[in-house]
């Protein structure tokens, strides 16, 4: 789709972007502002986040194309304040891009020291932050009548290596979490993930682990294609519970695993057909109660 087509579809929508002060988050924020979407950036990098917002507003030509709010995605309180700001300032939330992510030298399973807090951070940000961010986003989107969430995974989640085992595990978990929320499409909330190998410097890379020789030799993916995958998750309503795998030539939905025939029976298929409508109605009723409780406590 062209920029003009995207703008027609997205103009005046409101987006929350975690990790939006640099990298993929900033690239996504820039693309959204170019399409006249109001953007609320949440990040722990306050100075960089404010600079990013200033640049976005200058490019847009007015002061509130984008705003910044400090947000540690490990904390529900911070995420609630981030989404509350979007609702207070712009009227609600239509899009949530979960781009906050960390790597660590502690990814290597053989490295010392074995520190609980340091190792917990990569889990709490990369998968905990996604789960918490999605849960808060769903409350605001259900109230608004629908929305779109895009979670950031990684090709590392499809491959894995002892050098970045913790990181790879969190990104694989993001894909599983995203697939689990496919049923939310029945309440007009679509949750998808995006995975890529766009070049980003990490703390492991500084030590030049041999695995990065493989990465350097691999076909590289442009940030433009990564952003296009995010935009497709927003504009293409066929995507729900999918992980879009970005390649040097474009992107495609990562094929989901199918059960072996020995694990499937006619009675099971019928049970699933009976289950899905009931689950959809149950989800709707639970969301109504949860949303009412959530906003009563704000």
């Amino acid at each position: 789709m062209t920029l003009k087509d995207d703008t027609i579809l997205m103009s005046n929508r409101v987006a929350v972007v975690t990790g939006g002060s640099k990298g993929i988050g900033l690239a996504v924020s820039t693309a959204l502002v170019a399409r006249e979407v109001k953007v609320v950036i949440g990040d722990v990098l306050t100075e960089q986040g404010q600079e990013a917002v200033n640049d976005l507003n200058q490019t847009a030509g007015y002061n509130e194309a984008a705003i910044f709010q400090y947000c540690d995605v490990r904390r529900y309180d911070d995420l609630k304040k981030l989404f509350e700001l979007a609702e207070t300032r712009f009227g609600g939330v239509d899009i949530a891009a979960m781009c906050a992510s960390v790597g660590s030298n502690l990814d290597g399973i053989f490295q010392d020291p074995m520190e609980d807090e340091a190792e917990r951070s990569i889990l709490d940000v990369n998968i905990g932050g996604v789960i918490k961010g999605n849960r808060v986003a769903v409350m605001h989107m259900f109230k608004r009548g629908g929305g779109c969430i895009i979670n950031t995974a990684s090709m590392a989640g499809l491959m894995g290596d002892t050098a970045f085992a913790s990181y790879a595990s969190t990104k694989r978990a993001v894909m599983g979490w995203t697939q689990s929320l496919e049923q939310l499409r029945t309440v007009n909330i679509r949750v998808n993930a995006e995975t890529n190998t766009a070049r980003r410097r990490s703390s492991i890379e500084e030590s030049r682990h041999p695995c990065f020789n493989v990465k350097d030799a691999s076909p590289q993916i442009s940030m433009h294609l990564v952003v296009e995958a995010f935009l497709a998750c927003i504009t293409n309503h066929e995507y729900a519970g999918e992980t879009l795998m970005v390649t040097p030539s474009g992107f495609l939905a990562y094929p989901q695993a199918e059960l072996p025939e020995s694990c499937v029976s006619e009675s099971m298929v019928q049970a699933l057909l009976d289950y899905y409508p009931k689950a959809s109605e149950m989800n709707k009723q639970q969301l109504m109660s949860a949303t009412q409780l959530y906003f009563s406590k704000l």
Side-chain angles (χ1 to χ4, degrees):
M1 298 181 73
T2 65
L3 175 60
K4 182 178 179 180
D5 291 335
D6 282 348
T7 302
I8 292 172
L9 289 172
M10 298 186 203
S11 180
N12 295 319
R13 292 194 188 183
V14 181
V16 168
V17 182
T18 65
S21 66
K22 63 178 184 177
I24 291 176
L26 179 56
V28 170
S29 297
T30 301
L32 291 174
V33 168
R35 288 156 177 80
E36 300 180 4
V37 176
K38 304 288 188 181
V39 174
V40 181
I41 290 177
D43 209 315
V44 294
L45 303 175
T46 302
E47 185 174 341
Q48 285 182 261
Q50 194 57 60
E51 288 177 0
V53 162
N54 292 341
D55 290 342
L56 290 171
N57 288 335
Q58 184 174 6
T59 300
Y62 58 99
N63 288 333
E64 286 203 340
I67 57 177
F68 175 79
Q69 169 78 29
Y70 175 89
C71 179
D72 182 342
V73 296
R74 297 173 297 179
R75 296 175 52 83
Y76 269 123
D77 284 347
D78 282 11
L79 286 161
K80 289 177 181 178
K81 289 176 183 176
L82 181 66
F83 281 82
E84 284 175 46
L85 177 63
E87 182 140 339
T88 301
R89 195 71 64 89
F90 299 130
V93 180
D94 305 291
I95 301 162
M98 302 287 113
C99 300
S101 182
V102 296
S104 169
N105 272 327
L106 292 170
D107 282 352
I109 64 172
F110 310 120
Q111 294 187 30
D112 283 327
M114 293 184 180
E115 296 178 351
D116 291 334
E117 192 60 35
E119 292 184 358
R120 189 181 298 119
S121 67
I122 195 169
L123 302 175
D124 287 350
V125 172
N126 290 4
I127 182 60
V130 167
I131 291 173
K132 291 178 179 180
N134 282 200
R135 292 188 68 191
V136 174
V138 166
M139 295 295 102
H140 288 264
M141 290 178 181
F142 185 71
K143 176 186 176 184
R144 195 159 170 86
C148 176
I149 300 171
I150 310 100
N151 298 320
T152 304
S154 170
M155 289 291 194
L158 303 177
M159 300 170 65
D161 192 283
T162 54
F164 48 88
S166 297
Y167 179 84
S169 298
T170 61
K171 294 304 182 179
R172 186 72 178 191
V174 168
M175 296 170 64
W177 166 263
T178 299
Q179 184 177 348
S180 298
L181 300 189
E182 186 272 338
Q183 290 182 17
L184 289 179
R185 72 188 308 165
T186 61
V187 292
N188 201 31
I189 298 173
R190 295 180 298 106
V191 185
N192 294 288
E194 172 277 338
T195 179
N196 67 82
T197 56
R199 292 291 291 159
R200 296 186 298 282
R201 190 170 183 80
S202 74
S203 53
I204 302 177
E205 190 170 2
E206 293 173 0
S207 65
R208 288 311 304 177
H209 189 283
C211 72
F212 283 96
N213 295 333
V214 178
K215 188 171 184 180
D216 289 342
S218 302
Q220 296 303 307
I221 296 171
S222 70
M223 190 64 79
H224 170 74
L225 284 174
V226 174
V227 171
E228 286 297 310
F230 270 85
L231 296 175
C233 287
I234 298 169
T235 59
N236 189 335
H237 288 251
E238 294 299 314
Y239 292 136
E242 302 282 3
T243 293
L244 295 193
M245 183 168 59
V246 185
T247 73
S249 59
F251 55 85
L252 67 156
Y254 183 74
Q256 297 180 359
E258 295 185 1
L259 290 174
E261 288 187 12
S262 60
C263 296
V264 180
S265 65
E266 289 186 12
S267 59
M268 175 187 172
V269 172
Q270 185 58 53
L272 284 171
L273 292 174
D274 293 339
Y275 165 73
Y276 285 127
K278 295 176 182 177
S280 296
E281 183 59 29
M282 185 180 298
N283 287 337
K284 184 176 180 179
Q285 295 301 320
Q286 290 179 341
L287 265 172
M288 290 175 65
S289 298
T291 304
Q292 185 177 15
L293 180 62
Y294 174 87
F295 285 102
S296 71
K297 292 183 176 181
L298 293 182

